[in-house]
Amino acid sequence: GLVKEKSKAVISETKAGRIAAEYTGGEVTSVSYSRSYNGSSYRVRTVTKNSGKTYDTRIDARTGKVMFSDEIWWLMELF
């Protein structure tokens, strides 16, 4: 089908990583891109050096805005 203009990523994966790293004060461990009916976004996982906390941050791929950022505190219980 046709790709709507609004679903095209404007910011790069690298930039999304930088935004999330700055927002959470952590280092990027992974970046994934996803496109859905309401636009496109990057999901960036970061880990803080001093506390070792892991964060999942979603960045709007068009605007570079942080959509949400959440600490993943349950990771240790799962693995």
Side-chain angles (χ1 to χ4, degrees):
L2 291 168
V3 176
K4 288 197 185 83
E5 200 61 43
K6 82 174 239 186
S7 67
K8 283 185 182 163
V10 173
I11 66 163
S12 68
E13 211 170 272
T14 309
K15 184 162 186 195
R18 270 207 305 272
I19 293 165
E22 211 171 281
Y23 191 86
T24 61
E27 286 188 355
V28 178
T29 57
S30 69
V31 181
S32 59
Y33 175 78
S34 66
R35 207 163 73 202
S36 64
Y37 66 93
N38 59 358
S40 52
S41 62
Y42 289 103
R43 184 174 159 191
V44 185
R45 187 159 285 184
T46 53
V47 178
T48 57
K49 253 189 189 153
N50 46 4
S51 61
K53 287 179 178 173
T54 303
Y55 290 92
D56 245 346
T57 306
R58 196 170 285 279
I59 311 281
D60 189 301
R62 286 178 306 136
T63 63
K65 284 202 171 84
V66 174
M67 295 157 85
F68 76 81
S69 185
D70 222 347
E71 184 188 338
I72 308 170
W73 48 267
W74 39 262
L75 267 179
M76 299 313 290
E77 293 165 36
L78 286 180
F79 298 108

Coordinates of all heavy atoms in Angstrom, one line a residue:
G1 N 0.8 -1.2 0.0 CA 0.0 0.0 0.0 C 0.9 1.3 0.0 O 2.1 1.2 0.0
L2 N 0.2 2.4 0.0 CA 0.9 3.6 0.0 C 1.4 4.0 1.4 O 0.7 3.8 2.4 CB 0.0 4.8 -0.5 CG -0.4 4.7 -2.0 CD1 -1.6 5.7 -2.2 CD2 0.8 5.1 -2.8
V3 N 2.6 4.5 1.5 CA 3.1 4.9 2.7 C 2.7 6.4 3.0 O 3.0 7.2 2.1 CB 4.7 4.8 2.8 CG1 5.2 5.4 4.1 CG2 5.1 3.4 2.6
K4 N 1.9 6.6 4.0 CA 1.5 8.0 4.3 C 2.7 8.8 4.7 O 3.7 8.3 5.3 CB 0.5 8.0 5.4 CG -0.8 7.5 5.1 CD -1.9 7.9 6.1 CE -3.2 7.3 5.8 NZ -3.3 5.9 6.3
E5 N 2.7 10.0 4.3 CA 3.8 11.0 4.6 C 4.1 11.0 6.1 O 5.3 11.0 6.5 CB 3.5 12.4 4.1 CG 4.7 13.3 3.9 CD 5.6 12.7 2.8 OE1 5.2 12.2 1.8 OE2 6.8 12.8 3.1
K6 N 3.1 11.0 6.9 CA 3.3 11.1 8.3 C 4.0 9.9 9.0 O 4.5 10.0 10.1 CB 2.0 11.5 9.1 CG 1.1 10.3 9.3 CD -0.1 10.7 10.2 CE -0.1 9.9 11.5 NZ -1.3 10.1 12.3
S7 N 4.0 8.8 8.3 CA 4.6 7.6 9.0 C 6.1 7.5 8.6 O 6.7 6.6 9.1 CB 3.8 6.4 8.5 OG 4.0 6.1 7.2
K8 N 6.6 8.4 7.8 CA 8.0 8.4 7.5 C 8.9 8.9 8.6 O 8.6 9.9 9.2 CB 8.3 9.2 6.2 CG 7.9 8.5 5.0 CD 8.3 9.3 3.7 CE 7.8 8.6 2.5 NZ 7.8 9.5 1.3
A9 N 9.9 8.2 8.9 CA 10.8 8.7 10.0 C 11.6 9.9 9.5 O 12.1 9.9 8.4 CB 11.8 7.6 10.4
V10 N 11.7 10.9 10.4 CA 12.4 12.1 10.1 C 13.8 12.1 10.8 O 14.8 12.4 10.2 CB 11.6 13.3 10.4 CG1 12.5 14.6 10.2 CG2 10.4 13.4 9.6
I11 N 13.7 11.7 12.0 CA 15.0 11.6 12.8 C 15.6 10.2 12.6 O 15.0 9.3 12.4 CB 14.8 11.9 14.3 CG1 13.9 10.9 15.0 CG2 14.2 13.3 14.5 CD1 14.0 10.9 16.5
S12 N 16.9 10.2 12.8 CA 17.7 9.0 12.6 C 17.7 8.1 13.9 O 17.3 8.6 14.9 CB 19.1 9.3 12.2 OG 19.8 9.9 13.3
E13 N 18.0 6.9 13.7 CA 18.1 6.0 14.8 C 19.2 6.5 15.9 O 18.9 6.4 17.1 CB 18.6 4.6 14.3 CG 18.1 3.4 15.1 CD 18.4 2.1 14.4 OE1 17.5 1.7 13.6 OE2 19.4 1.5 14.7
T14 N 20.2 7.0 15.3 CA 21.3 7.6 16.2 C 20.8 8.8 17.0 O 21.0 8.9 18.2 CB 22.5 8.1 15.3 OG1 22.9 7.1 14.4 CG2 23.7 8.5 16.1
K15 N 20.0 9.6 16.3 CA 19.5 10.8 17.0 C 18.5 10.4 18.1 O 18.4 10.9 19.2 CB 18.8 11.8 16.1 CG 18.3 13.0 16.8 CD 18.1 14.2 15.8 CE 17.7 15.4 16.7 NZ 17.2 16.5 15.9
A16 N 17.6 9.4 17.8 CA 16.7 8.9 18.7 C 17.4 8.3 20.0 O 17.0 8.6 21.1 CB 15.8 7.8 18.1
G17 N 18.5 7.6 19.7 CA 19.3 7.1 20.8 C 19.8 8.2 21.7 O 19.8 8.1 22.9
R18 N 20.3 9.3 21.0 CA 20.9 10.4 21.8 C 19.8 11.1 22.7 O 20.1 11.4 23.8 CB 21.5 11.4 20.8 CG 22.9 11.2 20.5 CD 23.6 12.5 20.1 NE 23.0 13.2 19.0 CZ 23.2 13.0 17.8 NH1 24.1 12.1 17.4 NH2 22.6 13.7 16.8
I19 N 18.6 11.2 22.1 CA 17.5 11.9 22.8 C 17.2 11.0 24.1 O 17.1 11.6 25.2 CB 16.3 12.0 22.0 CG1 16.6 13.1 20.8 CG2 15.1 12.5 22.8 CD1 15.6 13.0 19.7
A20 N 17.1 9.7 23.9 CA 16.7 8.8 25.0 C 17.8 8.8 26.1 O 17.5 8.8 27.3 CB 16.4 7.4 24.5
A21 N 19.1 8.8 25.6 CA 20.2 8.7 26.5 C 20.2 10.0 27.4 O 20.5 9.9 28.6 CB 21.5 8.6 25.7
E22 N 20.0 11.1 26.7 CA 19.9 12.4 27.5 C 18.8 12.4 28.5 O 18.9 12.9 29.6 CB 19.8 13.5 26.4 CG 20.4 14.8 26.8 CD 20.4 15.8 25.7 OE1 21.2 15.7 24.8 OE2 19.5 16.7 25.7
Y23 N 17.6 11.9 28.0 CA 16.4 11.9 28.8 C 16.5 11.1 30.1 O 16.1 11.4 31.1 CB 15.2 11.5 28.0 CG 13.9 11.7 28.6 CD1 13.2 12.9 28.5 CD2 13.2 10.7 29.3 CE1 12.0 13.1 29.0 CE2 12.0 10.9 29.8 CZ 11.4 12.1 29.7 OH 10.1 12.3 30.3
T24 N 17.2 9.9 29.9 CA 17.2 9.0 31.0 C 18.6 9.0 31.8 O 18.7 8.4 32.8 CB 17.0 7.5 30.5 OG1 18.1 7.2 29.6 CG2 15.7 7.3 29.9
G25 N 19.6 9.7 31.2 CA 20.9 9.7 31.8 C 21.6 8.4 31.7 O 22.5 8.1 32.5
G26 N 21.2 7.6 30.7 CA 21.8 6.3 30.5 C 22.5 6.1 29.2 O 22.6 7.0 28.4
E27 N 23.1 4.9 29.0 CA 23.7 4.6 27.7 C 22.8 3.7 26.9 O 22.2 2.8 27.5 CB 25.1 3.9 28.0 CG 26.1 4.9 28.4 CD 27.5 4.3 28.5 OE1 27.6 3.0 28.3 OE2 28.4 5.0 28.8
V28 N 22.8 3.9 25.6 CA 21.9 3.1 24.7 C 22.4 1.7 24.6 O 23.5 1.4 24.3 CB 21.8 3.8 23.3 CG1 20.9 3.0 22.4 CG2 21.3 5.2 23.4
T29 N 21.5 0.7 24.8 CA 21.8 -0.7 24.6 C 21.1 -1.2 23.3 O 21.6 -2.1 22.7 CB 21.4 -1.5 25.8 OG1 20.1 -1.4 26.1 CG2 22.3 -1.1 27.0
S30 N 19.9 -0.7 23.0 CA 19.3 -1.1 21.7 C 18.3 0.0 21.3 O 17.7 0.7 22.1 CB 18.6 -2.4 21.9 OG 17.5 -2.3 22.8
V31 N 18.1 0.0 19.9 CA 17.1 0.9 19.3 C 16.3 0.1 18.3 O 16.9 -0.6 17.5 CB 17.8 2.1 18.6 CG1 16.8 3.0 18.0 CG2 18.7 2.8 19.5
S32 N 15.0 0.2 18.4 CA 14.2 -0.5 17.4 C 13.2 0.5 16.8 O 12.7 1.3 17.5 CB 13.5 -1.8 17.9 OG 12.7 -1.4 19.0
Y33 N 12.9 0.3 15.5 CA 12.0 1.2 14.8 C 10.7 0.5 14.6 O 10.7 -0.7 14.3 CB 12.6 1.6 13.5 CG 11.7 2.4 12.6 CD1 11.5 3.8 12.9 CD2 11.0 1.9 11.5 CE1 10.7 4.6 12.1 CE2 10.2 2.6 10.7 CZ 10.0 4.0 11.0 OH 9.2 4.7 10.2
S34 N 9.6 1.2 14.9 CA 8.3 0.6 14.5 C 7.3 1.6 13.9 O 7.4 2.8 14.2 CB 7.7 0.0 15.8 OG 7.3 1.0 16.7
R35 N 6.5 1.0 13.0 CA 5.6 1.9 12.3 C 4.2 1.3 12.6 O 4.0 0.1 12.5 CB 5.8 1.9 10.8 CG 5.4 3.1 10.2 CD 6.0 3.3 8.8 NE 5.4 2.3 7.9 CZ 6.1 2.0 6.8 NH1 7.2 2.4 6.5 NH2 5.5 1.1 5.9
S36 N 3.3 2.2 13.0 CA 1.9 1.7 13.3 C 0.9 2.7 12.6 O 1.3 3.7 12.0 CB 1.7 1.7 14.8 OG 1.7 2.9 15.3
Y37 N -0.4 2.4 12.8 CA -1.4 3.3 12.2 C -1.3 4.7 12.6 O -1.7 5.6 11.9 CB -2.8 2.7 12.5 CG -3.1 2.8 13.9 CD1 -3.8 3.8 14.4 CD2 -2.8 1.7 14.8 CE1 -4.1 3.9 15.8 CE2 -3.1 1.8 16.2 CZ -3.8 2.9 16.6 OH -4.1 3.0 18.0
N38 N -0.8 5.0 13.8 CA -0.7 6.4 14.2 C 0.6 7.0 14.1 O 0.9 8.0 14.8 CB -1.3 6.5 15.7 CG -0.5 5.6 16.6 OD1 0.5 4.9 16.2 ND2 -0.8 5.7 17.9
G39 N 1.5 6.5 13.3 CA 2.8 7.1 13.0 C 3.9 6.1 13.3 O 3.7 4.9 13.5
S40 N 5.1 6.7 13.4 CA 6.3 5.8 13.6 C 7.0 6.3 14.8 O 7.0 7.4 15.2 CB 7.2 5.9 12.3 OG 7.5 7.2 12.0
S41 N 7.7 5.3 15.4 CA 8.5 5.7 16.6 C 9.7 4.8 16.8 O 9.8 3.7 16.1 CB 7.6 5.5 17.8 OG 7.1 4.2 18.0
Y42 N 10.6 5.2 17.6 CA 11.7 4.4 18.0 C 11.6 4.0 19.4 O 11.1 4.8 20.3 CB 13.0 5.2 17.9 CG 13.5 5.5 16.5 CD1 13.3 6.7 15.9 CD2 14.1 4.5 15.7 CE1 13.7 7.0 14.7 CE2 14.5 4.8 14.4 CZ 14.3 6.0 13.9 OH 14.7 6.3 12.6
R43 N 11.9 2.7 19.7 CA 11.9 2.3 21.1 C 13.4 2.1 21.5 O 14.1 1.3 20.9 CB 11.2 1.0 21.2 CG 11.1 0.5 22.6 CD 10.2 -0.7 22.7 NE 10.4 -1.5 23.8 CZ 10.0 -2.7 24.0 NH1 9.2 -3.3 23.1 NH2 10.2 -3.4 25.1
V44 N 13.8 2.9 22.5 CA 15.2 2.9 22.8 C 15.4 2.4 24.3 O 14.7 2.8 25.2 CB 15.8 4.3 22.8 CG1 17.3 4.3 23.0 CG2 15.5 5.0 21.4
R45 N 16.3 1.4 24.4 CA 16.6 0.9 25.7 C 17.9 1.4 26.2 O 18.9 1.4 25.5 CB 16.6 -0.7 25.7 CG 16.8 -1.3 27.1 CD 16.3 -2.7 27.0 NE 14.9 -2.8 27.0 CZ 14.2 -3.9 27.0 NH1 14.8 -5.1 27.1 NH2 12.9 -4.0 27.0
T46 N 17.9 2.0 27.4 CA 19.1 2.6 28.0 C 19.3 2.0 29.4 O 18.4 1.6 30.0 CB 19.0 4.1 28.1 OG1 17.8 4.5 28.8 CG2 19.0 4.8 26.7
V47 N 20.6 2.0 29.7 CA 21.0 1.5 31.1 C 21.9 2.6 31.7 O 22.8 3.1 31.1 CB 21.8 0.2 31.0 CG1 22.2 -0.2 32.4 CG2 21.0 -0.9 30.4
T48 N 21.5 3.0 32.9 CA 22.3 4.0 33.6 C 23.5 3.4 34.2 O 23.5 2.3 34.8 CB 21.5 4.7 34.7 OG1 21.0 3.8 35.7 CG2 20.3 5.5 34.2
K49 N 24.6 4.1 34.1 CA 25.9 3.6 34.6 C 26.0 3.4 36.1 O 26.2 2.3 36.6 CB 27.0 4.5 34.2 CG 27.9 4.0 33.1 CD 29.1 5.0 32.9 CE 29.9 4.6 31.7 NZ 30.6 5.8 31.2
N50 N 25.7 4.4 36.9 CA 25.8 4.3 38.3 C 24.8 3.4 39.0 O 25.2 2.6 39.9 CB 25.9 5.7 39.0 CG 24.7 6.6 38.4 OD1 23.9 6.2 37.7 ND2 24.7 7.9 38.9
S51 N 23.6 3.5 38.6 CA 22.5 2.7 39.3 C 22.2 1.4 38.6 O 21.6 0.5 39.2 CB 21.3 3.5 39.5 OG 20.7 3.9 38.3
G52 N 22.6 1.3 37.3 CA 22.3 0.1 36.5 C 20.8 -0.1 36.2 O 20.4 -1.2 35.9
K53 N 20.1 1.0 36.3 CA 18.7 1.0 36.0 C 18.5 0.9 34.4 O 19.2 1.5 33.7 CB 17.9 2.2 36.5 CG 17.8 2.1 38.0 CD 17.0 3.4 38.5 CE 16.8 3.3 40.0 NZ 16.3 4.6 40.5
T54 N 17.5 0.1 34.0 CA 17.2 0.0 32.6 C 15.9 0.7 32.3 O 14.9 0.6 33.0 CB 17.0 -1.5 32.2 OG1 18.2 -2.2 32.6 CG2 16.7 -1.7 30.7
Y55 N 15.9 1.5 31.2 CA 14.8 2.3 30.8 C 14.4 1.9 29.4 O 15.2 1.7 28.5 CB 15.1 3.8 30.8 CG 15.2 4.3 32.2 CD1 16.5 4.4 32.8 CD2 14.1 4.8 32.9 CE1 16.6 4.9 34.1 CE2 14.3 5.3 34.2 CZ 15.5 5.4 34.8 OH 15.7 5.9 36.1
D56 N 13.1 1.9 29.1 CA 12.5 1.8 27.8 C 11.9 3.2 27.5 O 11.0 3.7 28.2 CB 11.4 0.8 27.8 CG 11.7 -0.4 26.9 OD1 12.7 -0.3 26.1 OD2 11.0 -1.4 27.0
T57 N 12.4 3.8 26.4 CA 11.9 5.1 26.0 C 11.4 5.1 24.6 O 12.0 4.5 23.7 CB 13.0 6.2 26.1 OG1 13.6 6.1 27.4 CG2 12.5 7.6 25.9
R58 N 10.2 5.6 24.4 CA 9.6 5.7 23.0 C 9.7 7.1 22.5 O 9.3 8.0 23.2 CB 8.2 5.2 23.0 CG 7.7 4.9 21.6 CD 6.4 4.2 21.5 NE 6.5 2.8 21.9 CZ 6.8 1.8 21.1 NH1 7.2 2.0 19.9 NH2 6.9 0.5 21.6
I59 N 10.3 7.2 21.3 CA 10.6 8.5 20.7 C 9.8 8.6 19.4 O 9.8 7.7 18.6 CB 12.1 8.7 20.4 CG1 13.0 8.3 21.5 CG2 12.4 10.1 19.8 CD1 13.2 9.3 22.6
D60 N 9.1 9.7 19.3 CA 8.3 9.9 18.0 C 9.3 10.1 16.9 O 10.2 11.0 17.0 CB 7.5 11.2 18.2 CG 6.5 11.4 17.0 OD1 7.0 11.5 15.9 OD2 5.3 11.4 17.2
A61 N 9.2 9.3 15.9 CA 10.2 9.3 14.8 C 10.1 10.6 13.9 O 11.1 10.9 13.2 CB 10.1 8.1 13.9
R62 N 9.0 11.3 14.0 CA 8.9 12.5 13.2 C 9.4 13.7 13.9 O 10.1 14.6 13.4 CB 7.4 12.7 12.8 CG 7.0 11.7 11.7 CD 5.5 12.0 11.4 NE 4.7 11.9 12.6 CZ 3.8 12.8 12.9 NH1 3.5 13.8 12.1 NH2 3.1 12.6 14.0
T63 N 9.0 13.8 15.2 CA 9.3 15.0 16.0 C 10.5 14.9 16.9 O 11.0 15.9 17.3 CB 8.0 15.4 16.8 OG1 7.8 14.4 17.8 CG2 6.8 15.6 16.0
G64 N 10.8 13.7 17.3 CA 11.9 13.5 18.2 C 11.5 13.7 19.6 O 12.3 13.7 20.5
K65 N 10.2 13.8 19.8 CA 9.7 14.0 21.2 C 9.6 12.7 22.0 O 9.3 11.6 21.4 CB 8.3 14.6 21.2 CG 8.2 16.1 20.8 CD 6.9 16.7 21.3 CE 7.0 18.2 21.2 NZ 6.6 18.7 19.9
V66 N 9.8 12.7 23.3 CA 9.7 11.6 24.1 C 8.2 11.3 24.3 O 7.5 12.1 24.9 CB 10.5 11.7 25.4 CG1 10.2 10.6 26.4 CG2 12.0 11.9 25.2
M67 N 7.7 10.2 23.9 CA 6.3 9.8 24.0 C 6.1 9.2 25.4 O 5.2 9.6 26.1 CB 5.9 8.8 23.0 CG 5.9 9.5 21.6 SD 6.1 8.3 20.3 CE 4.3 7.8 20.0
F68 N 7.0 8.3 25.8 CA 7.0 7.9 27.2 C 8.4 7.2 27.5 O 9.1 6.8 26.6 CB 5.9 6.9 27.6 CG 6.0 5.5 27.0 CD1 6.8 4.6 27.7 CD2 5.4 5.1 25.8 CE1 7.0 3.3 27.2 CE2 5.5 3.8 25.3 CZ 6.3 2.9 26.0
S69 N 8.7 7.2 28.8 CA 9.9 6.6 29.3 C 9.6 5.9 30.6 O 9.0 6.5 31.5 CB 11.0 7.7 29.5 OG 12.2 7.1 29.8
D70 N 10.0 4.7 30.7 CA 9.6 3.9 31.8 C 10.8 3.0 32.3 O 11.5 2.5 31.5 CB 8.5 2.9 31.4 CG 7.4 2.8 32.5 OD1 7.7 3.3 33.6 OD2 6.4 2.3 32.2
E71 N 11.0 3.0 33.6 CA 12.0 2.2 34.1 C 11.6 0.7 34.1 O 10.4 0.4 34.5 CB 12.4 2.6 35.6 CG 13.5 1.8 36.2 CD 13.7 2.0 37.6 OE1 13.3 3.1 38.1 OE2 14.3 1.1 38.3
I72 N 12.4 -0.2 33.7 CA 12.1 -1.6 33.7 C 12.7 -2.2 34.9 O 13.9 -2.6 34.9 CB 12.6 -2.3 32.4 CG1 12.2 -1.5 31.2 CG2 12.1 -3.7 32.3 CD1 12.9 -2.0 29.9
W73 N 11.9 -2.3 35.9 CA 12.4 -2.9 37.2 C 12.1 -4.3 37.3 O 12.6 -5.0 38.2 CB 11.8 -2.1 38.4 CG 10.3 -2.0 38.2 CD1 9.6 -0.9 37.7 CD2 9.3 -2.9 38.7 NE1 8.3 -1.1 37.7 CE2 8.0 -2.4 38.3 CE3 9.3 -4.1 39.3 CZ2 6.8 -3.0 38.6 CZ3 8.2 -4.8 39.5 CH2 6.9 -4.2 39.2
W74 N 11.3 -4.9 36.4 CA 10.9 -6.3 36.5 C 11.8 -7.2 35.7 O 11.6 -8.4 35.8 CB 9.4 -6.5 36.1 CG 9.1 -5.6 34.9 CD1 8.4 -4.5 34.9 CD2 9.3 -5.9 33.5 NE1 8.3 -4.0 33.7 CE2 8.8 -4.8 32.8 CE3 10.0 -7.0 32.9 CZ2 8.9 -4.8 31.4 CZ3 10.1 -6.9 31.5 CH2 9.6 -5.8 30.8
L75 N 12.7 -6.7 35.0 CA 13.6 -7.5 34.2 C 14.3 -8.6 35.0 O 14.4 -9.7 34.5 CB 14.7 -6.6 33.5 CG 14.4 -6.1 32.1 CD1 15.5 -5.3 31.6 CD2 14.1 -7.2 31.2
M76 N 14.8 -8.2 36.2 CA 15.6 -9.2 37.0 C 14.7 -10.4 37.4 O 15.2 -11.5 37.6 CB 16.2 -8.5 38.2 CG 17.2 -7.4 37.9 SD 18.4 -7.8 36.6 CE 19.4 -9.0 37.5
E77 N 13.4 -10.1 37.6 CA 12.5 -11.2 38.1 C 12.2 -12.2 36.9 O 11.9 -13.3 37.2 CB 11.2 -10.6 38.6 CG 11.4 -9.8 39.9 CD 10.2 -8.9 40.2 OE1 9.1 -9.4 39.9 OE2 10.4 -7.8 40.7
L78 N 12.3 -11.7 35.7 CA 11.9 -12.5 34.6 C 13.0 -13.5 34.1 O 12.7 -14.5 33.6 CB 11.5 -11.6 33.4 CG 10.2 -10.9 33.4 CD1 10.0 -10.1 32.2 CD2 9.0 -11.9 33.6
F79 N 14.3 -13.0 34.3 CA 15.3 -13.8 33.7 C 16.2 -14.6 34.7 O 16.5 -14.0 35.7 CB 16.2 -12.9 32.8 CG 15.5 -12.3 31.7 CD1 15.2 -11.0 31.7 CD2 15.0 -13.1 30.6 CE1 14.5 -10.4 30.6 CE2 14.3 -12.6 29.6 CZ 14.0 -11.2 29.6

